[in-house]
Amino acid sequence: MSYVEDEYLMLSGIQHYYFCKRQWGLIHIDQQWAENSYTAEGQQLHKKADDPYIKEKRKDMFISRAIHVSSSSLGLSGILDVVEFYKDKNGISFQGKKGKWQPYIVEYKRGQPKKDKRDVIQLVAEVMCLEETLDCQISNSYLFYHSVNKKIKIDITKELRDLVHDFSAKMHFYYQHKKVPDAEFFKNCRLCSLYDICMPRMNKRPKNIDNYIENAIYSEADVCENY
Amino acid sequence: MRKLLNTLYITQEDYYLSRERDNIVIKQDGKIVNRFPYRIIENIICFSYLGTSPSLVQLCNENNISLSFLTPTGKFCGRFVGMTNGNVLLRREQYRIADDDIRSIEYAKRSLLAKISSSRKYVLRFKRDHSGKIDESLFNNVDKELLKSIELIKQVKDKDSLRGIEGNAANTYFRVFNDFVLVNKDVFQFNGRTKRPPLDCVNAMLSFGYSLLTNECQSALETVGLDSYVGFFHTDRPGRASMALDLVEEFRSYIVDRFVFSLINKKQVSNKHFDIKENGSVFLNDKGRSIFIKEWQNRKHTEVVHPFINEKVKLMLLPYVQAQLMAKAIRDDLPSYPPFMA
Ligand code: SF4
């Protein structure tokens, strides 16, 4: 499978998709977005990491920020916050740079490591995009958690790669059909910034609308208590 | 539920609005009367003739604060809206439905069912609460006729007939308006609905309330990304917010009529709150307008349980909830549109 540039979806969407298909659909298909404190904080953090003019260098390593990456096989594109390159004879060469270099992504996250794999999945998708962009192989990368100041190494396994392939194919399916997936009402909903827009309970167990209207017409009761 | 942010009403005719950094500043004769941080405001409704500075307009646009201008009597002049929700697919589907009589009449029928049912609920409720003081046989007749209109709407196949039924139902409902008035009956005589211009105090308040409500409905629709100018029941007319007027139908009785009659019956308004012009038209004066708006603001925060989503909602978020349900129906996220049933 290969996608043309016009069809690329946002790389960052895969974490939404992992968290809840519907959340991803509401944001990326319906383009509804509700900010809450979590999302606002997340954006603050990214502002710093996104600045492409900050460069850091050592003899055996350099950092590149805000690299645009894409993958035609996944149909995803996005911008990576931080990629570290280490001198490595098995790495890749760059114009104007001596020696060979091996890239690792460092994905900065606010808060703590999550119980689920949403950050891991996003990292793997990023790795796959970077591999395709630079034409290289990357076998591991890092998640960095701010509040605990911890860097976790993630192996980019075949299973994880398959999962990313599977997700991106499904995301494209929904996107093509302009269909927002139905609610999956579960504990995530409490943490979801789109709760009000989503109305998950209603979506999960839709009332029969004709009955709703009929009942209201013929019932004696009246919603209002205050007049 | 979404938070109900503040609506800033500028009721004095000689107030001027400007901006100082992150603040909205109200001035009179060049002197500062009050200031508010823009973050707590989501709507500004300006009944003043002096208007606002361009930099305030810019502040509003950038922060999705809607800015509406009305004449002191409540006639709509114009409105600035910030970046609307960017969903072109939703609006295109809205236009498709509006262009398709068979699909749009389903929405129209539901809204009008809700409208008439809500009028009828008010009639029934009033009859129950004031049984000794009213003409019961009139109330019973009105109830029966409204119920008949409801049955007719369910069967109707074209919009012209729908308009006919709706007009009849409205006239039927107006027949009890005089009886909704329990005090000061000489001041608050209602002689049928007159709009351009209102010819009595009740009409003056109804018109003013409907224009506030229209404004709320228009911002609600725009917030969820719908086009407030393209309606399913009200047809296109330049400058007319037809979709907002469609949505207003569901709330006329529930939000405005009950409110107006409660102001009258609680003696919060009296003849000194109205001006009568040479041509016989009647309007709320400065004092009347500010009482109306103060009570309206209080009423906004009344909580009710929305019968479809089963959640407690502040009264003035009801238009927003309905706009969301409308968007969901248009997107096919719901099998059809559930109107607000009082
Ligand atoms: S509220 Fe629940 S179902 Fe809806 S988008 Fe959020 S997590 Fe998904």
Side-chain angles (χ1 to χ4, degrees), chain A residues 30-31 196-197 207 212 214 216 218 224 227, chain B residues 2 86 121 125 151 154 299 307 328 331 339:
Chain A
D30 270 0
Q31 305 191 336
D196 287 346
I197 290 170
K207 280 191 190 173
Y212 155 75
E214 286 290 296
Y218 300 106
C224 188
Y227 288 82
Chain B
R2 193 178 104 105
K121 285 277 166 77
R125 188 186 173 95
E151 299 305 331
K154 289 185 194 162
R299 183 54 56 83
K328 279 181 191 296
R331 286 194 174 97

mmCIF file with all atom_site columns, all heavy atoms in Angstrom, chain A residues 30-31 196-197 207 212 214 216 218 224 227, chain B residues 2 86 121 125 151 154 299 307 328 331 339:
data_model
loop_
_atom_site.group_PDB
_atom_site.id
_atom_site.type_symbol
_atom_site.label_atom_id
_atom_site.label_alt_id
_atom_site.label_comp_id
_atom_site.label_asym_id
_atom_site.label_entity_id
_atom_site.label_seq_id
_atom_site.pdbx_PDB_ins_code
_atom_site.Cartn_x
_atom_site.Cartn_y
_atom_site.Cartn_z
_atom_site.occupancy
_atom_site.B_iso_or_equiv
_atom_site.pdbx_formal_charge
_atom_site.auth_seq_id
_atom_site.auth_comp_id
_atom_site.auth_asym_id
_atom_site.auth_atom_id
_atom_site.pdbx_PDB_model_num
ATOM 1   N N   . ASP A 1 30  ? -14.004 15.256 11.921 1.00 0.00 ? 30  ASP A N   1
ATOM 2   C CA  . ASP A 1 30  ? -14.964 16.330 12.166 1.00 0.00 ? 30  ASP A CA  1
ATOM 3   C C   . ASP A 1 30  ? -14.288 17.655 12.488 1.00 0.00 ? 30  ASP A C   1
ATOM 4   O O   . ASP A 1 30  ? -14.924 18.695 12.504 1.00 0.00 ? 30  ASP A O   1
ATOM 5   C CB  . ASP A 1 30  ? -15.859 15.966 13.358 1.00 0.00 ? 30  ASP A CB  1
ATOM 6   C CG  . ASP A 1 30  ? -17.087 15.215 12.903 1.00 0.00 ? 30  ASP A CG  1
ATOM 7   O OD1 . ASP A 1 30  ? -17.209 14.993 11.695 1.00 0.00 ? 30  ASP A OD1 1
ATOM 8   O OD2 . ASP A 1 30  ? -17.906 14.876 13.766 1.00 0.00 ? 30  ASP A OD2 1
ATOM 9   N N   . GLN A 1 31  ? -13.024 17.602 12.781 1.00 0.00 ? 31  GLN A N   1
ATOM 10  C CA  . GLN A 1 31  ? -12.257 18.795 13.142 1.00 0.00 ? 31  GLN A CA  1
ATOM 11  C C   . GLN A 1 31  ? -12.883 19.556 14.295 1.00 0.00 ? 31  GLN A C   1
ATOM 12  O O   . GLN A 1 31  ? -13.051 20.760 14.245 1.00 0.00 ? 31  GLN A O   1
ATOM 13  C CB  . GLN A 1 31  ? -12.086 19.696 11.922 1.00 0.00 ? 31  GLN A CB  1
ATOM 14  C CG  . GLN A 1 31  ? -11.457 18.926 10.801 1.00 0.00 ? 31  GLN A CG  1
ATOM 15  C CD  . GLN A 1 31  ? -11.016 19.805 9.667  1.00 0.00 ? 31  GLN A CD  1
ATOM 16  O OE1 . GLN A 1 31  ? -11.526 20.888 9.475  1.00 0.00 ? 31  GLN A OE1 1
ATOM 17  N NE2 . GLN A 1 31  ? -10.057 19.328 8.911  1.00 0.00 ? 31  GLN A NE2 1
ATOM 18  N N   . ASP A 1 196 ? -17.851 16.483 26.114 1.00 0.00 ? 196 ASP A N   1
ATOM 19  C CA  . ASP A 1 196 ? -19.090 17.229 25.839 1.00 0.00 ? 196 ASP A CA  1
ATOM 20  C C   . ASP A 1 196 ? -19.500 17.168 24.380 1.00 0.00 ? 196 ASP A C   1
ATOM 21  O O   . ASP A 1 196 ? -20.678 17.150 24.049 1.00 0.00 ? 196 ASP A O   1
ATOM 22  C CB  . ASP A 1 196 ? -18.924 18.710 26.214 1.00 0.00 ? 196 ASP A CB  1
ATOM 23  C CG  . ASP A 1 196 ? -18.905 18.901 27.716 1.00 0.00 ? 196 ASP A CG  1
ATOM 24  O OD1 . ASP A 1 196 ? -19.279 17.953 28.425 1.00 0.00 ? 196 ASP A OD1 1
ATOM 25  O OD2 . ASP A 1 196 ? -18.504 19.988 28.149 1.00 0.00 ? 196 ASP A OD2 1
ATOM 26  N N   . ILE A 1 197 ? -18.518 17.186 23.532 1.00 0.00 ? 197 ILE A N   1
ATOM 27  C CA  . ILE A 1 197 ? -18.813 17.140 22.103 1.00 0.00 ? 197 ILE A CA  1
ATOM 28  C C   . ILE A 1 197 ? -19.229 15.736 21.694 1.00 0.00 ? 197 ILE A C   1
ATOM 29  O O   . ILE A 1 197 ? -20.115 15.528 20.877 1.00 0.00 ? 197 ILE A O   1
ATOM 30  C CB  . ILE A 1 197 ? -17.560 17.579 21.312 1.00 0.00 ? 197 ILE A CB  1
ATOM 31  C CG1 . ILE A 1 197 ? -17.314 19.070 21.522 1.00 0.00 ? 197 ILE A CG1 1
ATOM 32  C CG2 . ILE A 1 197 ? -17.696 17.249 19.840 1.00 0.00 ? 197 ILE A CG2 1
ATOM 33  C CD1 . ILE A 1 197 ? -15.988 19.543 20.991 1.00 0.00 ? 197 ILE A CD1 1
ATOM 34  N N   . LYS A 1 207 ? -31.148 6.661  22.187 1.00 0.00 ? 207 LYS A N   1
ATOM 35  C CA  . LYS A 1 207 ? -32.577 6.543  22.425 1.00 0.00 ? 207 LYS A CA  1
ATOM 36  C C   . LYS A 1 207 ? -33.281 6.485  21.083 1.00 0.00 ? 207 LYS A C   1
ATOM 37  O O   . LYS A 1 207 ? -32.791 7.033  20.107 1.00 0.00 ? 207 LYS A O   1
ATOM 38  C CB  . LYS A 1 207 ? -33.073 7.808  23.128 1.00 0.00 ? 207 LYS A CB  1
ATOM 39  C CG  . LYS A 1 207 ? -32.819 7.865  24.591 1.00 0.00 ? 207 LYS A CG  1
ATOM 40  C CD  . LYS A 1 207 ? -33.611 9.034  25.166 1.00 0.00 ? 207 LYS A CD  1
ATOM 41  C CE  . LYS A 1 207 ? -33.198 9.287  26.594 1.00 0.00 ? 207 LYS A CE  1
ATOM 42  N NZ  . LYS A 1 207 ? -33.780 10.474 27.156 1.00 0.00 ? 207 LYS A NZ  1
ATOM 43  N N   . TYR A 1 212 ? -38.934 9.234  21.876 1.00 0.00 ? 212 TYR A N   1
ATOM 44  C CA  . TYR A 1 212 ? -38.603 10.378 22.740 1.00 0.00 ? 212 TYR A CA  1
ATOM 45  C C   . TYR A 1 212 ? -39.583 11.524 22.486 1.00 0.00 ? 212 TYR A C   1
ATOM 46  O O   . TYR A 1 212 ? -40.120 12.123 23.419 1.00 0.00 ? 212 TYR A O   1
ATOM 47  C CB  . TYR A 1 212 ? -37.155 10.797 22.485 1.00 0.00 ? 212 TYR A CB  1
ATOM 48  C CG  . TYR A 1 212 ? -36.811 12.239 22.797 1.00 0.00 ? 212 TYR A CG  1
ATOM 49  C CD1 . TYR A 1 212 ? -36.655 12.675 24.118 1.00 0.00 ? 212 TYR A CD1 1
ATOM 50  C CD2 . TYR A 1 212 ? -36.614 13.162 21.763 1.00 0.00 ? 212 TYR A CD2 1
ATOM 51  C CE1 . TYR A 1 212 ? -36.321 13.994 24.393 1.00 0.00 ? 212 TYR A CE1 1
ATOM 52  C CE2 . TYR A 1 212 ? -36.281 14.484 22.042 1.00 0.00 ? 212 TYR A CE2 1
ATOM 53  C CZ  . TYR A 1 212 ? -36.140 14.894 23.348 1.00 0.00 ? 212 TYR A CZ  1
ATOM 54  O OH  . TYR A 1 212 ? -35.816 16.195 23.617 1.00 0.00 ? 212 TYR A OH  1
ATOM 55  N N   . GLU A 1 214 ? -42.613 11.391 20.951 1.00 0.00 ? 214 GLU A N   1
ATOM 56  C CA  . GLU A 1 214 ? -43.987 10.972 21.309 1.00 0.00 ? 214 GLU A CA  1
ATOM 57  C C   . GLU A 1 214 ? -44.210 11.042 22.820 1.00 0.00 ? 214 GLU A C   1
ATOM 58  O O   . GLU A 1 214 ? -45.187 11.604 23.283 1.00 0.00 ? 214 GLU A O   1
ATOM 59  C CB  . GLU A 1 214 ? -44.226 9.536  20.833 1.00 0.00 ? 214 GLU A CB  1
ATOM 60  C CG  . GLU A 1 214 ? -44.409 9.411  19.332 1.00 0.00 ? 214 GLU A CG  1
ATOM 61  C CD  . GLU A 1 214 ? -45.722 10.011 18.850 1.00 0.00 ? 214 GLU A CD  1
ATOM 62  O OE1 . GLU A 1 214 ? -46.778 9.495  19.250 1.00 0.00 ? 214 GLU A OE1 1
ATOM 63  O OE2 . GLU A 1 214 ? -45.690 10.997 18.087 1.00 0.00 ? 214 GLU A OE2 1
ATOM 64  N N   . ALA A 1 216 ? -42.690 12.723 25.062 1.00 0.00 ? 216 ALA A N   1
ATOM 65  C CA  . ALA A 1 216 ? -42.688 14.090 25.591 1.00 0.00 ? 216 ALA A CA  1
ATOM 66  C C   . ALA A 1 216 ? -44.007 14.784 25.271 1.00 0.00 ? 216 ALA A C   1
ATOM 67  O O   . ALA A 1 216 ? -44.546 15.516 26.099 1.00 0.00 ? 216 ALA A O   1
ATOM 68  C CB  . ALA A 1 216 ? -41.517 14.870 25.022 1.00 0.00 ? 216 ALA A CB  1
ATOM 69  N N   . TYR A 1 218 ? -46.991 13.467 24.940 1.00 0.00 ? 218 TYR A N   1
ATOM 70  C CA  . TYR A 1 218 ? -48.154 12.962 25.675 1.00 0.00 ? 218 TYR A CA  1
ATOM 71  C C   . TYR A 1 218 ? -47.950 12.842 27.184 1.00 0.00 ? 218 TYR A C   1
ATOM 72  O O   . TYR A 1 218 ? -48.860 12.484 27.903 1.00 0.00 ? 218 TYR A O   1
ATOM 73  C CB  . TYR A 1 218 ? -48.632 11.645 25.056 1.00 0.00 ? 218 TYR A CB  1
ATOM 74  C CG  . TYR A 1 218 ? -49.028 11.866 23.615 1.00 0.00 ? 218 TYR A CG  1
ATOM 75  C CD1 . TYR A 1 218 ? -48.239 11.422 22.570 1.00 0.00 ? 218 TYR A CD1 1
ATOM 76  C CD2 . TYR A 1 218 ? -50.179 12.605 23.317 1.00 0.00 ? 218 TYR A CD2 1
ATOM 77  C CE1 . TYR A 1 218 ? -48.575 11.680 21.245 1.00 0.00 ? 218 TYR A CE1 1
ATOM 78  C CE2 . TYR A 1 218 ? -50.525 12.865 22.005 1.00 0.00 ? 218 TYR A CE2 1
ATOM 79  C CZ  . TYR A 1 218 ? -49.716 12.410 20.977 1.00 0.00 ? 218 TYR A CZ  1
ATOM 80  O OH  . TYR A 1 218 ? -50.050 12.696 19.675 1.00 0.00 ? 218 TYR A OH  1
ATOM 81  N N   . CYS A 1 224 ? -39.463 22.071 32.952 1.00 0.00 ? 224 CYS A N   1
ATOM 82  C CA  . CYS A 1 224 ? -39.144 23.237 33.743 1.00 0.00 ? 224 CYS A CA  1
ATOM 83  C C   . CYS A 1 224 ? -39.808 23.229 35.115 1.00 0.00 ? 224 CYS A C   1
ATOM 84  O O   . CYS A 1 224 ? -40.995 22.995 35.243 1.00 0.00 ? 224 CYS A O   1
ATOM 85  C CB  . CYS A 1 224 ? -39.575 24.479 33.011 1.00 0.00 ? 224 CYS A CB  1
ATOM 86  S SG  . CYS A 1 224 ? -38.988 25.910 33.841 1.00 0.00 ? 224 CYS A SG  1
ATOM 87  N N   . TYR A 1 227 ? -40.620 28.093 36.633 1.00 0.00 ? 227 TYR A N   1
ATOM 88  C CA  . TYR A 1 227 ? -41.411 29.231 36.176 1.00 0.00 ? 227 TYR A CA  1
ATOM 89  C C   . TYR A 1 227 ? -42.733 29.304 36.923 1.00 0.00 ? 227 TYR A C   1
ATOM 90  O O   . TYR A 1 227 ? -43.299 28.285 37.231 1.00 0.00 ? 227 TYR A O   1
ATOM 91  C CB  . TYR A 1 227 ? -41.675 29.109 34.666 1.00 0.00 ? 227 TYR A CB  1
ATOM 92  C CG  . TYR A 1 227 ? -40.465 29.361 33.820 1.00 0.00 ? 227 TYR A CG  1
ATOM 93  C CD1 . TYR A 1 227 ? -39.540 28.362 33.615 1.00 0.00 ? 227 TYR A CD1 1
ATOM 94  C CD2 . TYR A 1 227 ? -40.268 30.609 33.232 1.00 0.00 ? 227 TYR A CD2 1
ATOM 95  C CE1 . TYR A 1 227 ? -38.427 28.596 32.834 1.00 0.00 ? 227 TYR A CE1 1
ATOM 96  C CE2 . TYR A 1 227 ? -39.166 30.838 32.443 1.00 0.00 ? 227 TYR A CE2 1
ATOM 97  C CZ  . TYR A 1 227 ? -38.241 29.833 32.253 1.00 0.00 ? 227 TYR A CZ  1
ATOM 98  O OH  . TYR A 1 227 ? -37.152 30.059 31.475 1.00 0.00 ? 227 TYR A OH  1
ATOM 99  N N   . ARG B 2 2   ? -20.177 21.869 28.967 1.00 0.00 ? 2   ARG B N   1
ATOM 100 C CA  . ARG B 2 2   ? -19.464 23.086 28.627 1.00 0.00 ? 2   ARG B CA  1
ATOM 101 C C   . ARG B 2 2   ? -19.789 24.208 29.624 1.00 0.00 ? 2   ARG B C   1
ATOM 102 O O   . ARG B 2 2   ? -20.883 24.274 30.158 1.00 0.00 ? 2   ARG B O   1
ATOM 103 C CB  . ARG B 2 2   ? -19.970 23.505 27.249 1.00 0.00 ? 2   ARG B CB  1
ATOM 104 C CG  . ARG B 2 2   ? -19.189 24.545 26.547 1.00 0.00 ? 2   ARG B CG  1
ATOM 105 C CD  . ARG B 2 2   ? -19.845 24.754 25.198 1.00 0.00 ? 2   ARG B CD  1
ATOM 106 N NE  . ARG B 2 2   ? -20.625 25.994 25.200 1.00 0.00 ? 2   ARG B NE  1
ATOM 107 C CZ  . ARG B 2 2   ? -20.204 27.096 24.594 1.00 0.00 ? 2   ARG B CZ  1
ATOM 108 N NH1 . ARG B 2 2   ? -19.060 27.107 23.964 1.00 0.00 ? 2   ARG B NH1 1
ATOM 109 N NH2 . ARG B 2 2   ? -20.941 28.174 24.605 1.00 0.00 ? 2   ARG B NH2 1
ATOM 110 N N   . GLY B 2 86  ? -13.841 24.926 11.687 1.00 0.00 ? 86  GLY B N   1
ATOM 111 C CA  . GLY B 2 86  ? -13.449 24.756 10.294 1.00 0.00 ? 86  GLY B CA  1
ATOM 112 C C   . GLY B 2 86  ? -13.988 23.553 9.556  1.00 0.00 ? 86  GLY B C   1
ATOM 113 O O   . GLY B 2 86  ? -13.295 23.022 8.701  1.00 0.00 ? 86  GLY B O   1
ATOM 114 N N   . LYS B 2 121 ? -47.470 22.661 26.619 1.00 0.00 ? 121 LYS B N   1
ATOM 115 C CA  . LYS B 2 121 ? -47.059 22.349 27.991 1.00 0.00 ? 121 LYS B CA  1
ATOM 116 C C   . LYS B 2 121 ? -47.198 23.569 28.894 1.00 0.00 ? 121 LYS B C   1
ATOM 117 O O   . LYS B 2 121 ? -47.595 23.463 30.051 1.00 0.00 ? 121 LYS B O   1
ATOM 118 C CB  . LYS B 2 121 ? -45.593 21.882 28.016 1.00 0.00 ? 121 LYS B CB  1
ATOM 119 C CG  . LYS B 2 121 ? -45.380 20.479 27.500 1.00 0.00 ? 121 LYS B CG  1
ATOM 120 C CD  . LYS B 2 121 ? -45.659 19.450 28.576 1.00 0.00 ? 121 LYS B CD  1
ATOM 121 C CE  . LYS B 2 121 ? -45.785 18.049 28.034 1.00 0.00 ? 121 LYS B CE  1
ATOM 122 N NZ  . LYS B 2 121 ? -44.508 17.439 27.710 1.00 0.00 ? 121 LYS B NZ  1
ATOM 123 N N   . ARG B 2 125 ? -49.580 23.772 32.067 1.00 0.00 ? 125 ARG B N   1
ATOM 124 C CA  . ARG B 2 125 ? -48.971 24.067 33.352 1.00 0.00 ? 125 ARG B CA  1
ATOM 125 C C   . ARG B 2 125 ? -49.608 25.284 34.009 1.00 0.00 ? 125 ARG B C   1
ATOM 126 O O   . ARG B 2 125 ? -49.892 25.297 35.198 1.00 0.00 ? 125 ARG B O   1
ATOM 127 C CB  . ARG B 2 125 ? -47.487 24.316 33.138 1.00 0.00 ? 125 ARG B CB  1
ATOM 128 C CG  . ARG B 2 125 ? -46.735 24.450 34.418 1.00 0.00 ? 125 ARG B CG  1
ATOM 129 C CD  . ARG B 2 125 ? -45.308 24.851 34.150 1.00 0.00 ? 125 ARG B CD  1
ATOM 130 N NE  . ARG B 2 125 ? -44.677 25.128 35.424 1.00 0.00 ? 125 ARG B NE  1
ATOM 131 C CZ  . ARG B 2 125 ? -43.974 24.226 36.093 1.00 0.00 ? 125 ARG B CZ  1
ATOM 132 N NH1 . ARG B 2 125 ? -43.801 23.028 35.605 1.00 0.00 ? 125 ARG B NH1 1
ATOM 133 N NH2 . ARG B 2 125 ? -43.441 24.541 37.254 1.00 0.00 ? 125 ARG B NH2 1
ATOM 134 N N   . GLU B 2 151 ? -50.990 16.676 15.741 1.00 0.00 ? 151 GLU B N   1
ATOM 135 C CA  . GLU B 2 151 ? -51.330 15.499 14.920 1.00 0.00 ? 151 GLU B CA  1
ATOM 136 C C   . GLU B 2 151 ? -51.219 15.824 13.436 1.00 0.00 ? 151 GLU B C   1
ATOM 137 O O   . GLU B 2 151 ? -50.745 15.008 12.643 1.00 0.00 ? 151 GLU B O   1
ATOM 138 C CB  . GLU B 2 151 ? -52.748 14.998 15.247 1.00 0.00 ? 151 GLU B CB  1
ATOM 139 C CG  . GLU B 2 151 ? -52.948 14.547 16.696 1.00 0.00 ? 151 GLU B CG  1
ATOM 140 C CD  . GLU B 2 151 ? -51.954 13.476 17.141 1.00 0.00 ? 151 GLU B CD  1
ATOM 141 O OE1 . GLU B 2 151 ? -51.497 12.685 16.279 1.00 0.00 ? 151 GLU B OE1 1
ATOM 142 O OE2 . GLU B 2 151 ? -51.605 13.443 18.340 1.00 0.00 ? 151 GLU B OE2 1
ATOM 143 N N   . LYS B 2 154 ? -47.613 15.806 12.118 1.00 0.00 ? 154 LYS B N   1
ATOM 144 C CA  . LYS B 2 154 ? -47.029 14.476 11.913 1.00 0.00 ? 154 LYS B CA  1
ATOM 145 C C   . LYS B 2 154 ? -47.321 13.952 10.505 1.00 0.00 ? 154 LYS B C   1
ATOM 146 O O   . LYS B 2 154 ? -46.556 13.178 9.956  1.00 0.00 ? 154 LYS B O   1
ATOM 147 C CB  . LYS B 2 154 ? -47.585 13.501 12.939 1.00 0.00 ? 154 LYS B CB  1
ATOM 148 C CG  . LYS B 2 154 ? -47.073 13.746 14.342 1.00 0.00 ? 154 LYS B CG  1
ATOM 149 C CD  . LYS B 2 154 ? -47.580 12.649 15.239 1.00 0.00 ? 154 LYS B CD  1
ATOM 150 C CE  . LYS B 2 154 ? -47.400 12.995 16.692 1.00 0.00 ? 154 LYS B CE  1
ATOM 151 N NZ  . LYS B 2 154 ? -48.263 12.154 17.539 1.00 0.00 ? 154 LYS B NZ  1
ATOM 152 N N   . ARG B 2 299 ? -31.684 34.245 34.834 1.00 0.00 ? 299 ARG B N   1
ATOM 153 C CA  . ARG B 2 299 ? -32.419 33.099 34.324 1.00 0.00 ? 299 ARG B CA  1
ATOM 154 C C   . ARG B 2 299 ? -31.527 32.133 33.548 1.00 0.00 ? 299 ARG B C   1
ATOM 155 O O   . ARG B 2 299 ? -31.703 30.919 33.593 1.00 0.00 ? 299 ARG B O   1
ATOM 156 C CB  . ARG B 2 299 ? -33.575 33.589 33.446 1.00 0.00 ? 299 ARG B CB  1
ATOM 157 C CG  . ARG B 2 299 ? -34.490 32.546 32.884 1.00 0.00 ? 299 ARG B CG  1
ATOM 158 C CD  . ARG B 2 299 ? -35.073 31.625 33.920 1.00 0.00 ? 299 ARG B CD  1
ATOM 159 N NE  . ARG B 2 299 ? -35.799 32.284 34.989 1.00 0.00 ? 299 ARG B NE  1
ATOM 160 C CZ  . ARG B 2 299 ? -37.052 32.679 34.910 1.00 0.00 ? 299 ARG B CZ  1
ATOM 161 N NH1 . ARG B 2 299 ? -37.737 32.488 33.810 1.00 0.00 ? 299 ARG B NH1 1
ATOM 162 N NH2 . ARG B 2 299 ? -37.627 33.254 35.925 1.00 0.00 ? 299 ARG B NH2 1
ATOM 163 N N   . PRO B 2 307 ? -34.019 16.610 28.429 1.00 0.00 ? 307 PRO B N   1
ATOM 164 C CA  . PRO B 2 307 ? -34.722 15.331 28.377 1.00 0.00 ? 307 PRO B CA  1
ATOM 165 C C   . PRO B 2 307 ? -34.102 14.324 27.410 1.00 0.00 ? 307 PRO B C   1
ATOM 166 O O   . PRO B 2 307 ? -34.317 13.130 27.575 1.00 0.00 ? 307 PRO B O   1
ATOM 167 C CB  . PRO B 2 307 ? -36.131 15.714 27.904 1.00 0.00 ? 307 PRO B CB  1
ATOM 168 C CG  . PRO B 2 307 ? -35.948 17.030 27.209 1.00 0.00 ? 307 PRO B CG  1
ATOM 169 C CD  . PRO B 2 307 ? -34.815 17.716 27.898 1.00 0.00 ? 307 PRO B CD  1
ATOM 170 N N   . LYS B 2 328 ? -24.925 16.662 14.891 1.00 0.00 ? 328 LYS B N   1
ATOM 171 C CA  . LYS B 2 328 ? -24.775 15.207 14.906 1.00 0.00 ? 328 LYS B CA  1
ATOM 172 C C   . LYS B 2 328 ? -25.735 14.550 13.931 1.00 0.00 ? 328 LYS B C   1
ATOM 173 O O   . LYS B 2 328 ? -25.369 13.586 13.241 1.00 0.00 ? 328 LYS B O   1
ATOM 174 C CB  . LYS B 2 328 ? -25.024 14.655 16.308 1.00 0.00 ? 328 LYS B CB  1
ATOM 175 C CG  . LYS B 2 328 ? -23.822 14.795 17.206 1.00 0.00 ? 328 LYS B CG  1
ATOM 176 C CD  . LYS B 2 328 ? -24.125 14.212 18.571 1.00 0.00 ? 328 LYS B CD  1
ATOM 177 C CE  . LYS B 2 328 ? -23.044 14.574 19.551 1.00 0.00 ? 328 LYS B CE  1
ATOM 178 N NZ  . LYS B 2 328 ? -21.735 13.995 19.202 1.00 0.00 ? 328 LYS B NZ  1
ATOM 179 N N   . ARG B 2 331 ? -24.463 15.109 10.458 1.00 0.00 ? 331 ARG B N   1
ATOM 180 C CA  . ARG B 2 331 ? -23.300 14.253 10.208 1.00 0.00 ? 331 ARG B CA  1
ATOM 181 C C   . ARG B 2 331 ? -23.643 12.778 10.181 1.00 0.00 ? 331 ARG B C   1
ATOM 182 O O   . ARG B 2 331 ? -22.763 11.946 10.027 1.00 0.00 ? 331 ARG B O   1
ATOM 183 C CB  . ARG B 2 331 ? -22.307 14.405 11.346 1.00 0.00 ? 331 ARG B CB  1
ATOM 184 C CG  . ARG B 2 331 ? -21.561 15.641 11.373 1.00 0.00 ? 331 ARG B CG  1
ATOM 185 C CD  . ARG B 2 331 ? -20.413 15.439 12.348 1.00 0.00 ? 331 ARG B CD  1
ATOM 186 N NE  . ARG B 2 331 ? -19.544 16.576 12.320 1.00 0.00 ? 331 ARG B NE  1
ATOM 187 C CZ  . ARG B 2 331 ? -19.613 17.573 13.192 1.00 0.00 ? 331 ARG B CZ  1
ATOM 188 N NH1 . ARG B 2 331 ? -20.485 17.533 14.168 1.00 0.00 ? 331 ARG B NH1 1
ATOM 189 N NH2 . ARG B 2 331 ? -18.805 18.587 13.079 1.00 0.00 ? 331 ARG B NH2 1
ATOM 190 N N   . PRO B 2 339 ? -35.415 17.165 18.722 1.00 0.00 ? 339 PRO B N   1
ATOM 191 C CA  . PRO B 2 339 ? -35.589 18.555 19.120 1.00 0.00 ? 339 PRO B CA  1
ATOM 192 C C   . PRO B 2 339 ? -35.688 18.675 20.630 1.00 0.00 ? 339 PRO B C   1
ATOM 193 O O   . PRO B 2 339 ? -35.777 17.660 21.325 1.00 0.00 ? 339 PRO B O   1
ATOM 194 C CB  . PRO B 2 339 ? -36.915 18.939 18.459 1.00 0.00 ? 339 PRO B CB  1
ATOM 195 C CG  . PRO B 2 339 ? -37.682 17.671 18.402 1.00 0.00 ? 339 PRO B CG  1
ATOM 196 C CD  . PRO B 2 339 ? -36.667 16.593 18.182 1.00 0.00 ? 339 PRO B CD  1
#
